[in-house]
Amino acid sequence: MEVAQVLHMNGGVGDLSYATNSRLQSKVISMTMPIAEEAIVNLYCSTFPTTLTIADLGCSSGPNALMPVSQLIEALEKARRKLRKESIEYQVLLNDLPGNDFNTIFKSLPSFLERLKMKIGPDLGPCRVTGVPGSFYGRLFPTHSVHFIHSSYSLHWLSKVPEGLEENKRNIFMAETSPESVLKAYYDQFQKDFSLFLKCRAQELVGGGCMIFTLPGRKSQNPASRECSYTWDLLAVALNDMVSKGKIEVEKLESFNIPKYKPTPTEIEIEVAKEGSFVVDGIRVWDVSSNQFSNNALDGFKSSSDNVAKGIRAIAEPILASHFGDQIMDELFIKYGEIIADRKAKEKPSLVNVTVSLTKPK
C-alpha cells in the first residue's frame, strides 16, 4: 500500500465528508491556537518583517483548512497595528498529500479573503494562498523561505506501514495482543519519519523561524495502551465481524495495518534532541473528550456514537476502501457505530493531544 497515494480525508462537503465531520479537529485547533499566536507574534516582533510566509502542513479540506491561517494573521495584524508598523505581505502555503481535496479549499478562497479583509480592514496587506501537494516526509519549500510552520492532527500519520507486522494477526494497529516486534516496528518507523520531518523543516525555515504542531499522543509508556488503540481496536472488532460473515477474507484483514503512531512527549523530545536543528520552547499535553466528535452537545449515546463513526469514516474510509473495497464501507461503519454505542455506555475514553513549540536558532 502506497500511503501517499491513498491517505487523504473524505473530500467534498457531503454528509460523510471530512468538512462535515471534523468538529474534534476544529476544537483541538481552537484549544492550541493561543500557543501558536503567541509564538508567531514573538517571531514578528523580533524582526518586524514586511513579508511573512506561513505554512500549514496536513491542511486537509473544509473549514479547518483555513482556520489556523486566519487566526494567525488576525493575531499578527493586532500586534502590527498596536506597534504602528507598515502592512505585512503574506504568503500562505497549504500542504497535504496529492489526494487531498484542494479544489474545495480553492473554491472557498474568495469568500475567505473577503471575510479576512472585513475583519482586519483596508490596511491588510496582500495575502497570497498556494496549495503545495506532497509528503511532509520530504522537502516541500525552498531553502530558508518559511517563517512559521503550523500543523494539527497530521504528524501521527507515518510515511508508510511499518515492515515486519506479519504477526499482528487480526489487529489493524498496535493492540494488547500484538507481539513486541510489532510495537518496535511502529516505533522504529516513527523515529525515521519524525527525524526526516525535522531535517526537512530545518532546511526550509529561516533562522529564528518557529514551528508549532499538535498531534494525538499518549501518556502511557505502552504504545498499545487503550489511550492509543481504543478507536482502532473497535474498528478491528467491526472488521473481524465482517470476516465472520464472509464479507471480508481473513487474509485481507491480516494484511492491513494503520500507518500511524501516537508518541509520548519524551519520545518527541528525544528525536528533536537527536536531530539537533531545533530548540524546544515548550511541550503541552491536553486531554479532549471523544464526545467532541459530536455535532450536538445534547446528543444521546446512539446519536453521539453515529457521529464518532462518521468522524472516523471521514478520516479512514479512503485508506480502508483502497484495501477492502468500497462496497463494504456502509455496512462496516454501521457495525462500527453499534460497537461504539455499546462501549460508550460503559466507558468514557479521552484523547491525549501533544502540542510542541520549536524554534530554529538564528
Side-chain angles (χ1 to χ4, degrees), residues 255-271:
S255 62
F256 179 79
N257 287 278
I258 292 288
K260 64 187 299 181
Y261 187 82
K262 295 183 175 182
T264 64
T266 299
E267 287 175 343
I268 293 171
E269 285 186 285
I270 289 171
E271 295 309 312

Side-chain angles (χ1 to χ4, degrees), residues 127-327:
C127 182
R128 298 177 178 86
V129 181
T130 304
V132 185
S135 171
F136 49 53
Y137 295 120
R139 286 292 301 273
L140 293 167
F141 316 119
T143 301
H144 302 159
S145 64
V146 182
H147 296 86
F148 190 88
I149 294 174
H150 174 269
S151 182
S152 184
Y153 264 47
S154 297
L155 267 172
H156 58 302
W157 292 106
L158 300 173
S159 68
K160 58 182 284 189
V161 176
E163 298 177 0
L165 304 184
E166 292 79 13
E167 298 306 313
N168 203 28
K169 302 296 186 183
R170 307 299 281 263
N171 298 313
I172 63 171
F173 188 51
M174 293 177 286
E176 290 182 357
T177 57
S178 298
E180 190 65 30
S181 61
V182 169
L183 309 190
K184 184 178 186 304
Y186 268 99
Y187 181 52
D188 288 349
Q189 189 62 49
F190 161 75
Q191 288 180 300
K192 292 175 186 175
D193 283 348
F194 191 58
S195 177
L196 180 57
F197 172 84
L198 292 171
K199 180 181 178 181
C200 292
R201 302 296 80 78
Q203 293 170 346
E204 295 162 350
L205 277 168
V206 300
C210 297
M211 179 162 61
I212 308 286
F213 58 85
T214 298
L215 72 166
R218 71 182 199 275
K219 298 176 184 176
S220 170
Q221 294 304 305
N222 177 12
S225 62
R226 287 181 69 259
E227 66 182 344
C228 291
S229 62
Y230 182 80
T231 298
W232 306 104
D233 282 349
L234 300 191
L235 187 55
V237 172
L239 285 164
N240 275 284
D241 181 73
M242 299 287 281
V243 170
S244 69
K245 293 177 179 177
K247 302 293 180 70
I248 295 176
E249 297 177 358
V250 66
E251 292 80 12
K252 271 285 189 183
L253 177 57
E254 293 189 345
S255 62
F256 179 79
N257 287 278
I258 292 288
K260 64 187 299 181
Y261 187 82
K262 295 183 175 182
T264 64
T266 299
E267 287 175 343
I268 293 171
E269 285 186 285
I270 289 171
E271 295 309 312
V272 173
K274 280 166 57 178
E275 196 280 328
S277 297
F278 292 94
V279 174
V280 178
D281 298 318
I283 296 182
R284 181 165 178 179
V285 179
W286 317 69
D287 286 341
V288 180
S289 169
S290 62
N291 287 332
Q292 297 295 342
F293 273 112
S294 171
N295 293 312
N296 185 338
L298 300 178
D299 282 339
F301 280 128
K302 181 65 171 70
S303 177
S304 176
S305 299
D306 286 344
N307 283 323
V308 174
K310 283 183 178 180
I312 297 300
R313 182 170 184 172
I315 295 167
E317 182 170 16
I319 199 168
L320 287 165
S322 73
H323 187 81
F324 296 107
D326 295 317
Q327 63 276 11

Side-chain angles (χ1 to χ4, degrees), residues 37-52 76 79-80 83 85 88 146-148 206-210 281 359-362:
E37 290 173 349
E38 180 181 5
I40 200 168
V41 169
N42 287 340
L43 168 67
Y44 171 69
C45 291
S46 67
T47 59
F48 298 115
T50 54
T51 61
L52 199 144
L76 282 167
R80 180 187 66 80
L83 296 166
K85 296 293 182 179
I88 303 169
V146 182
H147 296 86
F148 190 88
V206 300
C210 297
D281 298 318
T359 297
K360 175 186 171 181
K362 293 182 179 179

Side-chain angles (χ1 to χ4, degrees), residues 71-128:
Q71 295 185 15
L72 290 170
I73 291 176
E74 287 180 42
L76 282 167
E77 288 298 306
K78 184 178 179 180
R80 180 187 66 80
R81 287 181 171 183
K82 184 177 180 181
L83 296 166
R84 298 182 179 180
K85 296 293 182 179
E86 61 182 296
S87 295
I88 303 169
E89 184 173 341
Y90 294 102
Q91 173 72 45
V92 175
L93 306 171
L94 300 178
N95 158 258
D96 212 312
L97 291 172
N100 184 53
D101 184 9
F102 283 103
N103 284 340
T104 296
I105 300 175
F106 296 145
K107 288 176 183 177
S108 70
L109 276 181
S111 59
F112 163 75
L113 294 171
E114 186 63 31
R115 288 194 305 271
L116 194 61
K117 194 164 187 176
M118 287 179 64
K119 279 184 179 180
I120 294 171
D123 63 337
L124 173 67
C127 182
R128 298 177 178 86

